[in-house]
Amino acid sequence: MPLSSQELLDPLRGALAELLGELAPGDLQDCFFISNGTDAVEGAMKLARLYTGKPGFISCVRGFHGKSYGSLSLMGKGEYRLPFEPLLQDVYFVPFGDADAVESELEKAEAVGMSIAAVVAEPVQGEAGAIVPPDDFWPRLRKVCTRHGVLLIADEVQTGMGRTGKMFGVEHWDVVPDIMCLGKALGGGVMPLSAFMSTPEIWKVLEPNPFIHSSTFGGNPLACAAGIAAVNVTLEEDLPGQAAATGEYFLSELRRIQRRFPDHLVEVRGLGLLLGLEFVDAEFGYAVAAGLFKRGVLVAGTLLNAKTIRIEPALAIPRPVVDEVLEKLEDTLEELKE
Ligand code: PLP
């Protein structure tokens, strides 16, 4: 059967769920498989509402969680939201990395009787340009959410599967979220495969009517086979370890280059192989991206803007290729600073 029916459990789906349950932090053990990152966030939002019976969410300024209506409602960039307003109501925004702001938002909501289901954030903001939060952000989010009886959703669509140097981004701070979203590299970066995961306690709300959330292609055998293969390669080749080591080297070399061109390259940052370069303005950023492209290096802007460009190579990128990229970046900056 190329596509298992909704009534039968496909063995590959079960095997992948078991693998992820073993790898995920804490008792995040139950998985729902779908195809895109945005689907994972939609599912996480529905699960949070169903479990808490509350409508609201807190999200972060410049946060990125996808572009379907639910996830778009968590979008922290006005350009993407405005043409589609009104989106979901009851979404409140705080600056990324500011745990005090989250706490104050929850206190205000409580005081005026507004109900918040969950706080949603990326461990490291990806699309916003590899923004690493202060070290106390995630541990404090965990404490504040527990204290207020609000769920914590980690959107690991970009940071999961080793990208930041740990299997999951939240592991940098030993935090266990209540719901975790995965995508992108989960299917080896090739097959459309995403997931949201949670604890058996929270998952219970899906049991009375398992069809309350479903997807025709979600958890299909081909995608799950790719997911199992991706997990195996990630573990066998220690891709998180490679990303940590290569990322550290890459970042220290980028910092050296930044010191050479401080007027043009104003900041370099990141964690593992989720790296961001911030330039003096968007025009210069575009020129660098174009200069690198001319030299055979493809980087990512931050979709609407090239003031910050992202470098997100394959986690197994060989050191000589990193050196080649660094050389080409220096060469480009040398040419452009004139
Ligand atoms: N969440 C995060 C953190 C992302 O970076 C992305 C995509 O870049 C998404 C969700 C949406 O994923 P998709 O484009 O697969 O729908």
Side-chain angles (χ1 to χ4, degrees), residues 35-39 41 64-67 122 126-127 155-158 184:
S35 304
N36 294 295
T38 196
D39 305 335
V41 175
F64 188 98
H65 302 284
K67 290 178 182 159
E122 297 154 85
E127 205 272 340
D155 181 350
E156 295 261 10
V157 166
Q158 190 156 157
K184 294 193 190 278

Side-chain angles (χ1 to χ4, degrees), residues 169-232:
V170 288
E171 288 173 356
H172 285 283
W173 305 284
D174 285 328
V175 165
V176 182
D178 298 299
I179 304 178
M180 185 165 84
C181 302
L182 297 171
K184 294 193 190 278
L186 184 61
V190 178
M191 284 299 293
L193 173 66
S194 66
F196 61 94
M197 299 185 69
S198 191
T199 64
E201 158 63 23
I202 294 172
W203 215 257
K204 267 196 236 140
V205 291
L206 296 173
E207 283 165 14
N209 177 6
F211 287 100
I212 196 144
H213 192 65
S214 64
S215 158
T216 300
F217 292 117
N220 73 75
L222 190 55
C224 288
I228 293 168
V231 169
N232 281 338

Side-chain angles (χ1 to χ4, degrees), residues 79-243:
E79 298 92 326
Y80 295 123
R81 305 172 56 88
L82 283 173
F84 305 102
E85 295 275 5
L87 299 170
L88 276 188
Q89 303 302 296
D90 304 313
V91 182
Y92 308 92
F93 288 90
V94 294
F96 181 67
D98 187 345
D100 285 337
V102 176
E103 190 155 20
S104 124
E105 209 58 51
L106 287 172
E107 279 164 6
K108 275 192 291 180
E110 233 165 60
V112 302
M114 287 179 331
S115 307
I116 305 293
V119 174
V120 190
E122 297 154 85
V124 174
Q125 278 192 330
E127 205 272 340
I131 300 175
V132 184
D135 269 339
D136 70 342
F137 180 60
W138 273 91
R140 285 193 56 202
L141 275 193
R142 179 64 281 175
K143 278 194 194 129
V144 166
C145 286
T146 305
R147 193 173 334 123
H148 287 268
V150 164
L151 299 186
L152 178 57
I153 301 179
D155 181 350
E156 295 261 10
V157 166
Q158 190 156 157
T159 50
M161 300 293 285
R163 169 66 49 196
T164 66
K166 301 263 190 201
M167 191 69 177
F168 305 106
V170 288
E171 288 173 356
H172 285 283
W173 305 284
D174 285 328
V175 165
V176 182
D178 298 299
I179 304 178
M180 185 165 84
C181 302
L182 297 171
K184 294 193 190 278
L186 184 61
V190 178
M191 284 299 293
L193 173 66
S194 66
F196 61 94
M197 299 185 69
S198 191
T199 64
E201 158 63 23
I202 294 172
W203 215 257
K204 267 196 236 140
V205 291
L206 296 173
E207 283 165 14
N209 177 6
F211 287 100
I212 196 144
H213 192 65
S214 64
S215 158
T216 300
F217 292 117
N220 73 75
L222 190 55
C224 288
I228 293 168
V231 169
N232 281 338
V233 169
T234 304
L235 295 176
E236 270 169 25
E237 299 186 12
D238 185 21
L239 294 182
Q242 290 199 49

Side-chain angles (χ1 to χ4, degrees), residues 1 15 35 37 60 84 134 190 195 267 310:
M1 258 180 110
S35 304
C60 295
F84 305 102
V190 178
E267 194 190 344
R310 288 177 287 162

